[in-house]
Amino acid sequence: MLFALILIPLLAAVAILLGAPSRNTALGAAVLNIFLTAVAVSNPSAWDTGFQVLEQPNINLSLGLYDGMSVVMLILSVLVTFAAVFTGKCPEGRDKLWFSSILLIAAGAIGAFISTDIFFFYAFHEMALIPTFLMIGILGSGERKQAAWKITIYLAFGSIVLLAGLLLAVGQLDGFAFSDLQEIPAEHQNAVALLLIIGFGTLVSLFPLHSWAAPAYASAPAPVSMLHAGVLKKFGLYGLLRVGMVVAPDGMAHWLPWVCVLLLGNIIWVGLVTVNQKRLDLMLGNSSVMHMGYIFLAIAALSANGSNEIAQPAAVLLMFAHGISIALLFSLASVIERKTGTLEIAELGGLAKTAPALAFVFGLAGMASIGLPGLANFAGEVMVFFAGFADWKPAEGLGWVQWTTIIALWGVVLSAVYMLRAYRNIFQGPLVRDTKPATDLHICEKIPAYLLATTLLVVGIYPQILLQFL
Amino acid sequence: MQPHYIEFITVGFGIFLLMFEAFSSGNKSKLGLIAAAGLTLILILQCFVCTCASVPDWMSRFYHYDQVALFYKIIALVSTILVLLMAVDFRKVLSRFTSGDTSSSGLGEFFCLPVFACAGLMWMASARDLVSIFVALELVTITFYVMVAYMRKNVGSLEAGVKYLILGALSTGFLVYGIAWIYGALGTTEVTLFSNIIAKGEFNQSYLLMGIALILIALGFKVGAAPMQLWIPDVYQGAPTPITAYLSVASKAAGFLVMMVVLGPFLAMSATNSEVVLALSVMAGATLLYGNLAALQQENFKRLLAYSSIAHAGFLLMGVASRDFSAVSFYLGTYLLMTFAAFFVLALVRNQDDSDLIDAFDGLGKRNPLLAAVLTITMAALAGIPLTAGFWGKFFIFAAAINAGQSWWLLAIAFVSVAAGFYYYLKVVKAMYWNAPTTEKAIEVPVITKSVLALLTLAILLFGIWPQPIMDLLK
C-alpha cells in the first residue's frame, strides 16, 4: 500500500500534464499523502510491500517504513511537499510544468525514503533531479542557467561516486535489501567508506563540495528550494546512517579525522561566508549548507563509537528540524520577494509594521534555525552536542569528536550573527524608501507557514513525539 | 521448422521485394510498409521457432541456434523494421537528394536493401565459424556501403559513403588476415573448438596473439572503438538518418556479438586471457574518453549521437573485457530502444526544419510538449538516469566490471564518462526547454512516428523499472 504514497504524486503529475486543473490536483495529492502517511505511521510494518524486478542480482521494488528514521523522513517529506505546493506563485502560463515538477520531486523524495532496497533508494533520488534541473533552468531567477548546470554536474558526479561505492559494498553482500546489509570484509571498508563519504557528501554539500548549493537554492523557484534544501538533501545523510554506518563502520572510523575537518569547514568557513551575504536567498542557501555540518557531527560521533546511542536520534531529529525550518524560511523569502520586489537585505526594512504576521513567522523560523530553546532545531542541536561528548572519558583527554564539537559550538554564534542581523534589517527599523509598502501574509501563504511553524514548536517543546520512533 | 529457414525466408522476401519494386510504379513508400509488415511476420515466425529446434548436420558447423542467437535475431529484425518505418516518414528528404524532386521514383531499392542487411545480421547471430561469420558480416557491410551513400545528390552522403567504403574494406582486410593467422595457429576456423585446442597447448602463442590482434582491429572498426573510431562522426552525419540509426544499433550489435563469440574462448583460457583483457581494457578506456570528451562540444545533434555511440561502445567493451556477455547483450537491447527513439525525433525535426543542429530543438517544449517529454526521457535514458532502461545497462556493466576486478583506472574513466554524459545529453534537454523557439510553427508528428515513439518510450520506462523480461530472453 505504500506504493500509493509514490503513485499519488506521480499520477497527479501526469494528470496535470494531460490537462487536469493544476493547483487543485497538486493540493489534493499533497493532502491525500499527508493523510495516508498518518495512517501508515500509526501501524508501520503492516504496509510493507514488494515486487521483484530482477532475479540476478536480486533486486526488489520493496517499500516499507524500515525503522523510525524512515518514518521521520517520510513525515518531513509530506509536510514540506504540502507547503511547497501551497507556496510560491507560479509564472503565468507555466502552471503545468510548475506543479508537475513539484510533484515529481516529491515523489522521488518520498520514494527514496520509503524504499527498503538500496537500488530503488538510489534510483528515486536520481529521479527527482531531472525536474529540479528543469525547474531551476526554466523558471529560476538570476543566474539560473549557470546554477542549473552547476547543480547538475555536481550532483551527477556525486551520484556516480556514490553508485561506485554502493556497488562495491553490495558486491561483498548477498543482496540489495536493507535487511541484507552487514559489515563487509575489512579490506574493502576504507574504500567503500571513502566513496560513500564523497558521494553522499557531495549530495549533502559537505565542504569543499558544497559550492553548488547556495547559488542553486538562490536561483531556484521557492518550492524547489524548499523541497531540495528541506527534504532531498537529507537523502545523503540518511544514506550515510542507513548504509555507510552499517556496511563500513570501521572505514567510517578510519576517515573520521577528515570528516571532522571537513564538517568544521561547513560550520565555520561556510558560516563566515554566510555572515557576508548581502542577499537573503544566498544567505539562506549558505546557512543551509552550514547546518549540514552539525548533522555530520552527529555522524562523526557515531562513527567514532558505534554504540553511541544518542548520535543517530540526534542526527535524525536535526535533519527533520532543519528540513522544516529551512523550507519555511525559503517560502517566506519568496513571499518577501513577491511583496517588495527585492531580496537585497540592505534595500529592505521595517516590514514588521505592515506585515506583522510575516515578521512573526519569519522570526520564529529564524530563531529556530539559530537553535533557540523551545523550537525543534534546539532539541536536535543539543542532542548532537551531547552525542559529541556521550562517550567521552575525561581521563583520555579530548578526542577528535570532542574537539570538533567544541569548535562547532561557535557556529551557533555565527548563525545568530547573520540571522539576527538579517531579521533586524528586514523587519525592524524604518520603512526603506525603495520598497513598496508590503501587505501581510495572504491566507494561502498563512496556511503552509503556520503549519510548518507549528511543527517547529510542537517538536521543539515535545521532541519525544519524533524520538519515540527512533 | 528448422531455424535456418527463417534466414532463407528473409532473403527470399528481399528478392521478392526487388522484383515487386521493378514491376510496380507510383508511390514507392508503400514498399517500405510492405517490407516492414513482412519482417514483422518473420519476427513473429522467429519467436515461434523453439530454441530446442535442431540444426541439420550439414549446417551445424556454420549455424548455431540458441537463446542468445534468438535475442540478436530479434534485435536485427526489430531494428530493421524500425529503420523501414523511419525511412517511410523520412522519404521527403530522401527523394530530394535522389531524384531531385518530390517524386519517390528513386526510392524503391532503399526499402529493399535493409531486408538483405537484416538477413545478414540474423545469420551473423547464428554464425559460429570464422568463415560463416565473415560471409555474414560482408553481406551486411556491402549493403551498408550502398545505403550510406544512397542520397547521391548530397555531397555529405557521398563523402560518408566513400569513407565508409574505404575504411570498411580496410577492416575487412584486417579481418581476413586475422582469420588466416588464427587458422594457422589453431588449425581450425570453428570457434567452438578453440578452447580445446588452447587447453591442449598445441599451438603457437605468438601466431595466435597476432591473429587476435588483427581481428580486434577489424572488429574495432565495426563497433567504433578507439583508435579505429575516426570514421564514425563523418559517416553518421552524412548517411541518411534512418541508416545512421541502423548503423548505430544493428551494425554495432552485430559487431559486438561477433566480438563476444570470437573472443569468448580466448577470454576464458588463461593462456590468452590477460593479453586480451588488457587490449580490450585499453580500447575501452580510450573509446570512453574519446567518445565522451569529444561529445561535450558538439553542436550538431546527429554528430552528438555519433559520439554518444562511440561512448556507448566504450561501456560495451568494458563489459566484454569483464566477460559478462549477458550484461553486454542487455545493454545492446536497451540501447536499441533509446537510440531509435532519439533518431526518430531527429528525423522528424530534420524533415520539418531541415536541420540537424541542436539549435533546431530550441523551444521544442513549447512547439510540441509531448515530443519534448519523449526526447527528455530518451536523453535521460542515454545518460543512464535510474528508472529508465539505460540505467540498468550501465548498472550491469559496472557491476560486472567490479565483480571481474577490472583495473581501477578503467572504472574511474568509466565513471567520469557517465558524469560527462549527463552534461551533453542534458544539453539537448536544455535546448528544448530553456531556449526560445526560432519559429512558433508547431511540429506535426506523422502517425507512424507517433506510435513508434509511444511504444519505445513506454518500453524505456517499463524496462527501467522491470528489466527482468530482457534478462529472461537472455537466459
Side-chain angles (χ1 to χ4, degrees):
Chain A
M1 270 311 290
L2 284 173
F3 275 122
L5 283 171
I6 303 172
L7 277 182
I8 289 171
L10 275 183
L11 292 180
V14 174
I16 289 173
L17 283 178
L18 293 178
S22 14
R23 189 178 163 87
N24 290 339
T25 313
L27 268 179
V31 173
L32 199 57
N33 256 2
I34 293 191
F35 174 72
L36 280 175
T37 302
V39 179
V41 167
S42 62
N43 190 3
S45 60
W47 285 43
D48 287 5
T49 174
F51 161 70
Q52 189 182 48
V53 300
L54 195 66
E55 285 166 17
Q56 188 63 39
N58 182 7
I59 293 179
N60 296 280
L61 174 51
S62 59
L63 303 177
L65 294 172
Y66 189 70
D67 60 12
M69 201 153 57
S70 314
V71 173
V72 174
M73 298 318 292
L74 174 61
I75 299 175
L76 173 68
S77 315
V78 293
L79 283 180
V80 176
T81 306
F82 174 76
V85 173
F86 236 125
T87 311
K89 193 155 172 55
C90 102
E92 199 70 25
R94 306 311 292 269
D95 53 334
K96 278 187 182 179
L97 176 71
W98 178 273
F99 286 103
S100 57
S101 299
I102 297 176
L103 289 172
L104 283 178
I105 299 175
I110 293 173
F113 290 126
I114 61 176
S115 291
T116 55
D117 183 288
I118 287 190
F119 179 81
F120 280 96
F121 161 72
Y122 176 83
F124 277 118
H125 172 259
E126 292 284 290
M127 187 184 98
L129 293 184
I130 292 261
T132 311
F133 167 74
L134 288 181
M135 279 285 266
I136 297 180
I138 303 171
L139 300 177
S141 56
E143 302 275 332
R144 61 193 166 93
K145 294 189 178 176
Q146 279 176 16
W149 274 123
K150 205 166 182 184
I151 189 174
T152 308
I153 289 164
Y154 265 94
L155 297 191
F157 163 78
S159 310
I160 295 297
V161 176
L162 170 61
L163 183 64
L166 291 178
L167 283 177
L168 187 56
V170 172
Q172 324 293 323
L173 297 170
D174 293 335
F176 282 73
F178 282 162
S179 49
D180 291 334
L181 292 183
Q182 51 185 326
E183 216 177 312
I184 57 171
E187 70 264 29
H188 293 293
Q189 287 216 5
N190 287 352
V192 167
L194 180 65
L195 289 171
L196 292 187
I197 289 173
I198 296 178
F200 281 128
T202 311
L203 304 183
V204 190
S205 64
L206 176 65
F207 183 86
L209 301 165
H210 66 283
S211 65
W212 57 270
Y217 295 153
S219 312
V224 174
S225 334
M226 291 167 71
L227 276 169
H228 203 282
V231 183
L232 263 189
K233 204 154 77 161
K234 308 296 179 291
F235 167 87
L237 301 158
Y238 175 90
L240 276 177
L241 289 168
R242 175 72 84 218
V243 183
M245 293 307 303
V246 179
V247 298
D250 296 341
M252 294 290 285
H254 176 81
W255 300 107
L256 176 69
W258 289 95
V259 172
C260 285
V261 172
L262 298 185
L263 74 88
L264 283 179
N266 272 59
I267 295 176
I268 303 298
W269 174 259
V270 180
L272 288 170
V273 170
T274 315
V275 171
N276 275 310
Q277 295 305 315
K278 305 267 184 287
R279 277 178 66 88
L280 182 60
D281 49 2
L282 279 172
M283 191 201 91
L284 293 178
N286 277 304
S287 98
S288 154
V289 174
M290 169 191 178
H291 282 102
M292 292 301 110
Y294 291 111
I295 307 172
F296 265 108
L297 179 57
I299 293 173
L302 190 62
S303 35
N305 176 7
S307 55
N308 189 333
E309 283 177 1
I310 318 174
Q312 182 158 341
V316 179
L317 190 60
L318 190 53
M319 277 151 74
F320 182 86
H322 176 262
I324 299 280
S325 63
I326 197 75
L328 182 52
L329 284 168
F330 271 122
S331 92
L332 293 176
S334 84
V335 173
I336 294 176
E337 185 172 26
R338 223 165 38 241
K339 289 185 189 304
T340 65
T342 182
L343 280 176
E344 294 290 339
I345 295 173
E347 290 177 14
L348 291 160
L351 283 188
K353 289 201 182 69
T354 53
L358 172 64
F360 171 71
V361 186
F362 192 96
L364 187 90
M367 296 307 141
S369 115
I370 299 172
L372 196 76
L375 293 163
N377 302 53
F378 172 74
E381 283 180 19
V382 158
M383 279 181 70
V384 169
F385 295 137
F386 282 159
F389 278 90
D391 59 332
W392 180 50
K393 297 185 191 62
E396 293 171 10
L398 294 171
W400 275 100
V401 178
Q402 285 77 42
W403 274 115
T404 312
T405 311
I406 291 169
I407 303 173
L409 275 165
W410 289 93
V412 178
V413 181
L414 288 176
S415 45
V417 170
Y418 63 72
M419 193 53 88
L420 292 177
R421 203 169 61 185
Y423 186 80
R424 195 192 64 213
N425 277 338
I426 298 174
F427 292 99
Q428 307 291 312
L431 273 167
V432 171
R433 191 168 42 85
D434 305 6
T435 54
K436 301 177 273 186
T439 46
D440 206 1
L441 290 179
H442 186 261
I443 180 77
C444 280
E445 292 151 358
K446 270 184 186 159
I447 294 175
Y450 286 171
L451 174 78
L452 296 182
T454 316
T455 314
L456 284 177
L457 258 172
V458 170
V459 177
I461 294 170
Y462 185 62
Q464 194 60 28
I465 196 171
L466 289 181
L467 290 174
Q468 62 174 334
F469 296 114
L470 298 168
Chain B
M1 186 167 68
Q2 291 182 338
H4 60 281
Y5 285 0
I6 302 277
E7 277 85 354
F8 293 168
I9 293 174
T10 312
V11 175
F13 177 61
I15 294 171
F16 161 78
L17 275 178
L18 270 184
M19 306 295 278
F20 186 79
E21 196 277 325
F23 293 108
S24 77
S25 57
N27 184 2
K28 300 285 183 187
S29 66
K30 67 172 184 277
L31 210 65
L33 293 176
I34 296 173
L39 287 181
T40 313
L41 282 181
I42 293 176
L43 175 64
I44 294 168
L45 204 61
Q46 178 76 66
C47 292
F48 278 105
V49 178
C50 170
T51 46
C52 53
S54 64
V55 179
D57 282 345
W58 64 274
M59 285 278 294
S60 61
R61 179 172 166 191
F62 295 109
Y63 194 94
H64 177 86
Y65 189 61
D66 60 5
Q67 199 74 34
V68 175
L70 174 63
F71 181 81
Y72 281 90
K73 282 171 206 260
I74 293 177
I75 287 197
L77 281 162
V78 171
S79 45
T80 313
I81 294 169
L82 290 173
V83 166
L84 286 165
L85 292 176
M86 200 190 294
V88 171
D89 277 348
F90 193 70
R91 60 180 182 275
K92 208 174 83 186
V93 178
L94 275 175
S95 39
R96 182 154 53 121
F97 289 117
T98 46
S99 38
D101 50 35
T102 47
S103 80
S104 57
S105 55
L107 293 186
E109 299 83 2
F110 194 78
F111 298 116
C112 306
L113 287 168
V115 178
F116 292 106
C118 179
L121 292 164
M122 288 163 72
W123 189 271
M124 214 185 316
S126 282
R128 291 293 182 279
D129 187 291
L130 293 177
V131 174
S132 56
I133 286 174
F134 178 75
V135 173
L137 200 61
E138 282 314 293
L139 173 54
V140 176
T141 318
I142 291 173
T143 326
F144 267 114
Y145 295 148
V146 182
M147 291 193 290
V148 167
Y150 199 84
M151 300 199 293
R152 59 179 176 273
K153 295 195 174 163
N154 178 322
V155 180
S157 182
L158 287 180
E159 183 196 333
V162 172
K163 274 193 182 155
Y164 190 48
L165 175 67
I166 293 175
L167 291 171
L170 187 66
S171 86
T172 302
F174 275 112
L175 186 62
V176 182
Y177 196 33
I179 289 175
W181 277 89
I182 288 188
Y183 181 70
L186 298 178
T188 177
T189 53
E190 254 182 286
V191 177
T192 38
L193 300 181
F194 285 179
S195 306
N196 283 338
I197 298 171
I198 298 173
K200 283 194 204 127
E202 298 161 353
F203 66 97
N204 184 318
Q205 174 94 7
S206 35
Y207 292 179
L208 181 62
L209 288 178
M210 180 72 183
I212 295 175
L214 289 166
I215 284 196
L216 257 181
I217 292 174
L219 292 176
F221 271 114
K222 303 282 176 210
V223 301
M228 283 74 75
Q229 86 298 357
L230 285 170
W231 59 276
I232 287 210
D234 293 340
V235 173
Y236 276 33
Q237 190 182 359
T241 305
I243 300 309
T244 312
Y246 206 13
L247 264 178
S248 169
V249 177
S251 161
K252 189 185 292 284
F256 271 103
L257 177 67
V258 169
M259 189 179 277
M260 290 186 289
V261 167
V262 175
L263 296 184
F266 302 129
L267 280 167
M269 306 307 292
S270 58
T272 46
N273 171 283
S274 55
E275 287 87 351
V276 179
V277 169
L278 180 66
L280 282 173
S281 307
V282 172
M283 277 169 80
T287 312
L288 282 167
L289 278 179
Y290 182 88
N292 285 292
L293 298 185
L296 288 177
Q297 48 183 354
Q298 288 312 311
E299 301 296 333
N300 181 309
F301 190 42
K302 213 167 166 188
R303 265 185 111 78
L304 177 76
L305 285 174
Y307 283 105
S308 128
S309 152
I310 298 177
H312 286 285
F315 287 112
L316 288 160
L317 276 172
M318 195 164 94
V320 177
S322 311
R323 225 155 70 78
D324 190 335
F325 296 161
S326 61
V328 175
S329 303
F330 183 96
Y331 198 111
L332 285 165
T334 55
Y335 180 69
L336 179 151
L337 301 173
M338 315 182 288
T339 310
F340 268 108
F343 274 108
F344 260 99
V345 181
L346 172 66
L348 186 68
V349 172
R350 157 90 206 204
N351 227 349
Q352 305 208 353
D353 291 1
D354 203 22
S355 166
D356 290 337
L357 298 179
I358 294 180
D359 293 348
F361 290 79
D362 282 356
L364 195 67
K366 285 211 183 78
R367 296 174 70 190
N368 191 332
L370 225 50
L371 196 64
V374 165
L375 194 57
T376 306
I377 294 174
T378 309
M379 288 294 132
L382 281 167
I385 288 174
L387 303 184
T388 62
F391 177 74
W392 287 104
K394 295 216 169 63
F395 176 83
F396 289 132
I397 297 276
F398 278 115
I402 289 176
N403 284 341
Q406 277 292 349
S407 339
W408 64 267
W409 54 264
L410 180 57
L411 285 168
I413 291 178
F415 279 116
V416 171
S417 307
V418 176
F422 275 92
Y423 178 83
Y424 59 79
Y425 291 120
L426 287 181
K427 211 156 85 170
V428 180
V429 178
K430 184 191 100 170
M432 288 192 299
Y433 289 102
W434 295 4
N435 299 350
T438 41
T439 123
E440 289 294 328
K441 200 178 66 179
I443 290 213
E444 301 282 325
V445 187
V447 63
I448 297 177
T449 303
K450 194 186 275 179
S451 25
V452 171
L453 276 177
L455 269 179
L456 288 174
T457 314
L458 280 181
I460 289 174
L461 291 176
L462 176 71
F463 293 131
I465 297 170
W466 188 41
Q468 188 63 39
I470 301 187
M471 276 311 198
D472 284 341
L473 265 182
L474 282 166
K475 231 176 253 164

